[in-house]
Amino acid sequence: PKRKGLARLVHALGYSLDGLRSGWHEPAFRQELLLSFALLPAAFWLGQSWLETVVLMAVVIAVLVVELLNTGIEAAIDRFGAEWHVQSKRAKDVASAAVLISLLFAGGVWFSALWRWWTAHMV
């Protein structure tokens, strides 16, 4: 049966929470999530404006989102079997590259903000 209104939202929330629980079982997501518990509050300390604070927070959240998408892609590929296939490898490699790019971007943004703070306070 098609759910509508509040019932649809409640079920959608349940599926999303199931997804977060599944993500928690992935070591990389768990590490990134635990790190985000330190970085998200630190963004309020490090950010000099509301925009900078939001950007620092957004890149951390983007890493979590990309990691969850990577996990979903891997799960979908693995559903079809454990045998090696060039297209399966390609899909997993591209998803992994997306995680790498998001991590590098987040690291660059945080490094830039920390560098600005360091040079303003230590020079």
Side-chain angles (χ1 to χ4, degrees), residues 100-116:
L100 176 63
I101 290 169
S102 72
L103 285 167
L104 291 173
F105 182 59
V109 168
W110 274 83
F111 178 80
S112 174
L114 286 167
W115 181 262
R116 183 208 25 84

Side-chain angles (χ1 to χ4, degrees), residues 19-102:
L20 287 173
R21 280 189 283 277
S22 292
W24 180 254
H25 294 292
E26 291 294 319
F29 179 75
R30 194 167 47 247
Q31 291 166 350
E32 293 155 355
L33 184 63
L34 291 173
L35 183 59
S36 76
F37 291 145
L39 291 178
L40 292 174
F44 289 98
W45 166 77
L46 185 58
Q48 286 192 333
S49 68
W50 73 269
L51 183 58
E52 189 172 327
T53 301
V54 167
V55 169
L56 288 167
M57 295 173 76
V59 296
V60 171
I61 292 168
V63 168
L64 297 174
V65 169
V66 174
E67 189 67 60
L68 286 172
L69 293 171
N70 177 49
T71 299
I73 289 168
E74 287 183 352
I77 296 298
D78 291 346
R79 184 228 181 268
F80 291 104
E83 69 278 353
W84 188 90
H85 189 280
V86 67
Q87 291 299 88
S88 296
K89 179 183 182 333
R90 182 176 182 212
K92 287 183 170 190
D93 289 351
V94 169
S96 180
V99 173
L100 176 63
I101 290 169
S102 72

